[in-house]
Amino acid sequence: MRHSGRLSRTSAVFSVAILAVISAAASATAQQHHPQVPKSLRLYVFDCGVIKGLDPALFNFKKEDLAETELAVPCYLIVDPKGTLMWDVGAIPDTAFKDDGAAVTQGYFYSTRTLKSQLAELGYAPSDITYLGLSHYHGDHVANSNEFAGSTWLVRPVERDAMFADKPPALSDPKNYDQLKNSKTILLTTDEYDVFGDGKVIIKFAPGHTPGHQVVILKLAKTGKVMLAGDLYHYPEERKLNRIPSFEFSKEESLASRAMIEDYCKKTKTQLWIEHDYAANAKLKKSPKFYD
Ligand SMILES: [Zn+2]
């Protein structure tokens, strides 16, 4: 017994040594493929699936009011000369995909690709990402949060408090983001927060859908100013008719945020991108192509 115990201890030490060699080799490879830092801001749009089969009544619509009932689920990688920001991280965790790479359905969510594979195509691993920003805590925006627990999390205190309250927030699965609790975190307490300090990427408070809902504005050299508007709207008809979903944290705050954001976009000539807008998303360039 003692003999076999010593043997397994020896082999355990040996395995650790092997693992260390493998992981050193892996990180050397990752470094070799590390993408070059661009000279100006870039936006990559990833395909993180779709939401199918939701009842339009949830959004105070009849089916015939909507040109398209499916919702797109994009994830975004923002690459600034000073670092990187992941904005919204999907509806289905990468860990739900099997090795055969088959598409995954979870309730209303459907996805054909992992987020990590799309990052890897550009030469990034989640551990390379400087900042994580979530428009809000709903399940279709936070599924891969734990992959970015090593990044610095940019969050409103009211949103973070709701996420880690004793009673978990509605429409989310805390298991998918619980590791953020120990992440390096910057609590955003100003209306606008300049992520990289170069004025090119601004996170702006737009509460109502959830207590700490936020949007991000990108000042792209060729494309111009683009706002990734989180769930300020879901359908383009919502914006046209100013219809409010039935499941807002605060309908009054949502209405006020919409009025403020519309005014902001008009004054600053910013294009508002509704993240879930299926038809608009279908027309966007997808990674590895990018907006700059
Ligand atoms: Zn959403």
Side-chain angles (χ1 to χ4, degrees), residues 51 71-73 88 135-136 138-141 209 230-231 233-234 247 275-276:
I51 307 174
L71 296 168
V73 182
D88 284 351
S135 61
H136 64 297
H138 285 161
D140 54 315
H141 297 258
H209 192 57
D231 282 8
Y233 306 101
H234 304 74
F247 53 96
E275 296 186 10
H276 286 309

Side-chain angles (χ1 to χ4, degrees), residues 104-138:
V104 176
T105 301
Q106 283 187 347
Y108 297 105
F109 305 153
Y110 172 84
S111 181
T112 60
R113 305 185 66 185
T114 61
L115 173 52
K116 259 197 280 195
S117 69
Q118 297 177 72
L119 276 170
E121 197 178 5
L122 300 174
Y124 293 98
S127 57
D128 296 322
I129 304 304
T130 323
Y131 297 108
L132 171 67
L134 304 168
S135 61
H136 64 297
Y137 58 59
H138 285 161

Side-chain angles (χ1 to χ4, degrees), residues 156-177:
R156 306 275 155 185
V158 281
E159 192 80 353
R160 191 183 183 282
D161 289 349
M163 290 168 79
F164 294 112
D166 290 340
K167 184 172 173 262
L171 304 174
S172 200
D173 183 353
K175 274 201 310 296
N176 287 340
Y177 63 71

Side-chain angles (χ1 to χ4, degrees), residues 14 17-18 22 35 70 80 84-85 99 119 144 149 163 171 175 177 186 235 237 262 274 281 284 289-290:
F14 189 59
I18 292 273
I22 291 170
E70 278 192 25
D80 185 275
T84 47
L85 165 67
D99 290 342
L119 276 170
N144 285 295
M163 290 168 79
L171 304 174
K175 274 201 310 296
Y177 63 71
I186 298 177
Y235 295 108
E237 290 86 348
E262 292 296 346
I274 300 176
N281 180 270
L284 293 180
K289 292 182 182 151
F290 57 85

